[in-house]
Amino acid sequence: MPATIFRKGLDLKHDVANELARDYHSQLVEKIKESNYSWTSGRLNIYLAEDFGFCYGVDRAVDYAYQTRRRFPKQNVFLTGEIIHNPHVNSRMREAGVRFLSDKHETLNNLTPEDVVILPAFGVTTNELSQLEQIGCIIVDTTCGSVLNVWKAVRQYSTDGYTAIIHGKYHHEETRATASKALDSGKGRYLVILDKREAKLVCDFILEKSSPEQFLSTFATACSPDFNPQTDLRQVGLANQTTMLMSESLEIGDMIREAIITRYREENLSKHFRAFETICSATQDRQDAVTRLLHKQDFSLAVVVGGYNSSNTRNLARICSERVKTFHIADASCLVSTTEIRHHHLTTALTNNSTPAPSETTTRNWLPSIDALNVAITSGASTPDNIVGKVVERLSELAALE
């Protein structure tokens, strides 16, 4: 029996609206939005970026998950992995009885046609989806529309004989899913590059400045099977993990474009290079909003709220840290006292060859003892408003103690 797939919800949006409001909304955050995104409590002045928190794709994924639990109350409901990169939301899923196939004791092999499986906002690989369809279980697909747009571009590259160069983290669920789409045609190739340093290595090879051995020593785990840089980098098309830093994706595209022009001449550019617009508008909006906020005035510090394994949240922290002392925290519990804060270590190195656990560190004497404490706040696209609201409340408590 073929799998039943729900891609447009389960017609229970109004039924779960109160639950979603209870679990993720914040009256305080709504009040701050209505007050021109600013709020004052004693010496503390809070300024929120005008775009922050849940994006449409995340909001839709969480909504569909709640609808699924409501629609199938007596059946086993699974997620293939984290629905989004936020520990509070994923904990809420577990509390609702949703099981995670990514847990060590769970396996696809034990699924039956009566089971329900939710695909996360990141999507899943072609192979994973094929396995679920073969089992015949009920599938609720919450894959974000922005991710689907990237897949469309990558599939087109593959069909036309271009290697997909994906700016992203190879071990990230979304990037693994995107890379798998490059292989759908049976002749596609992909290469995942993490940053401008790795992009330069690709450019060096295109410009014949390095050997295949040198190239593969870096990218062996971040490219398609049997990847041959001598032939597979002659025609390339660019794509990106939707949560990456927009400005870096554009710079990487420019770097590779220039290398192609140098190697093959500008009149032949279209034969060797393609680039579709695959940058997520929600990711860009949040990055632009916090950049505008930081240019408005001087701040005492910035607080970025979100899961430590959330790429878009980490990139917001990178943007803030270039202008002001910045702390990326998971939630209000990280604000231990006026003299102690737990936060993500912004300088934790990223690599495509390993999956380091997000690093948390502690900073002492972090809260300035000044009359006007101006704090910029933003949050990742996977961070619900109630978490931001609790952070504002805790900041107000601590500021009053000084």
Side-chain angles (χ1 to χ4, degrees), residues 151-164 181-189 231-232 234-237 270-276:
W151 292 0
K152 181 179 178 181
V154 166
R155 286 189 176 113
Q156 190 63 56
Y157 294 152
S158 174
T159 299
D160 295 343
Y162 287 68
T163 293
K181 308 308 172 185
L183 305 180
D184 282 355
S185 69
K187 61 179 182 178
R189 296 286 185 270
T231 56
D232 295 335
R234 291 176 181 171
Q235 292 180 296
V236 299
S270 63
K271 297 178 183 178
H272 297 274
F273 178 85
R274 289 185 182 178
F276 290 123

Side-chain angles (χ1 to χ4, degrees), residues 112-164:
T112 72
E114 288 73 38
D115 292 329
V116 183
V117 179
I118 303 170
L119 311 186
F122 317 113
V124 297
T125 66
T126 298
N127 183 57
E128 288 174 299
L129 180 58
S130 178
Q131 286 181 274
L132 293 171
E133 288 178 330
Q134 288 176 14
I135 293 168
C137 50
I138 300 166
I139 298 171
V140 179
D141 188 355
T142 79
T143 306
C144 175
S146 294
V147 174
L148 294 175
N149 285 337
V150 180
W151 292 0
K152 181 179 178 181
V154 166
R155 286 189 176 113
Q156 190 63 56
Y157 294 152
S158 174
T159 299
D160 295 343
Y162 287 68
T163 293

Side-chain angles (χ1 to χ4, degrees), residues 165-195:
I165 295 183
I166 305 165
H167 175 214
K169 302 172 184 175
Y170 180 69
H171 295 284
H172 191 284
E173 299 96 320
E174 179 191 325
T175 295
R176 287 192 288 107
T178 297
S180 76
K181 308 308 172 185
L183 305 180
D184 282 355
S185 69
K187 61 179 182 178
R189 296 286 185 270
Y190 68 79
L191 173 69
V192 179
I193 57 176
L194 178 66
D195 51 25

Side-chain angles (χ1 to χ4, degrees), residues 40 53 66 77 90 106 113 115 190 214 228 232 267 293 298 305 308 316 335 362 371 374 393:
T40 297
Y66 274 60
V77 177
N90 287 304
E106 301 284 9
D115 292 329
Y190 68 79
Q214 289 173 310
N228 183 349
D232 295 335
E267 60 265 30
L293 175 62
D298 291 331
V305 188
Y308 293 162
L316 290 172
L335 305 176
T362 299
D371 292 338
N374 298 324
E393 291 171 355

Side-chain angles (χ1 to χ4, degrees), residues 49 51-58 122 144 146-147 150 167 172 174 240-249 277-292 310-317 319 378-382:
D51 273 299
F52 68 94
F54 271 12
C55 64
Y56 170 77
V58 165
F122 317 113
C144 175
S146 294
V147 174
V150 180
H167 175 214
H172 191 284
E174 179 191 325
N240 64 287
Q241 181 183 313
T242 58
T243 55
M244 299 301 280
L245 192 62
M246 177 198 68
S247 59
E248 187 172 47
S249 291
E277 177 60 76
T278 62
I279 294 172
C280 169
S281 59
T283 298
Q284 182 173 340
D285 289 345
R286 279 149 186 74
Q287 292 173 6
D288 290 346
V290 78
T291 299
R292 289 195 301 271
S310 165
S311 292
N312 77 87
T313 307
R314 290 172 68 150
N315 283 325
L316 290 172
I319 292 171
T378 189
S379 62
S382 53

Side-chain angles (χ1 to χ4, degrees), residues 199-265:
K200 184 179 184 305
L201 297 177
V202 174
C203 292
D204 285 345
F205 188 86
I206 291 172
L207 296 172
E208 302 180 289
K209 294 181 180 179
S210 63
S211 68
E213 292 74 23
Q214 289 173 310
F215 181 91
L216 291 173
S217 68
T218 299
F219 295 106
T221 61
C223 59
S224 50
D226 302 318
F227 191 88
N228 183 349
Q230 291 178 302
T231 56
D232 295 335
L233 291 178
R234 291 176 181 171
Q235 292 180 296
V236 299
L238 298 188
N240 64 287
Q241 181 183 313
T242 58
T243 55
M244 299 301 280
L245 192 62
M246 177 198 68
S247 59
E248 187 172 47
S249 291
L250 294 174
E251 287 181 61
I252 286 172
D254 288 341
M255 290 170 66
I256 295 174
R257 181 179 183 275
E258 290 304 312
I260 292 290
I261 289 174
T262 300
R263 174 74 183 274
Y264 298 105
R265 299 195 302 274

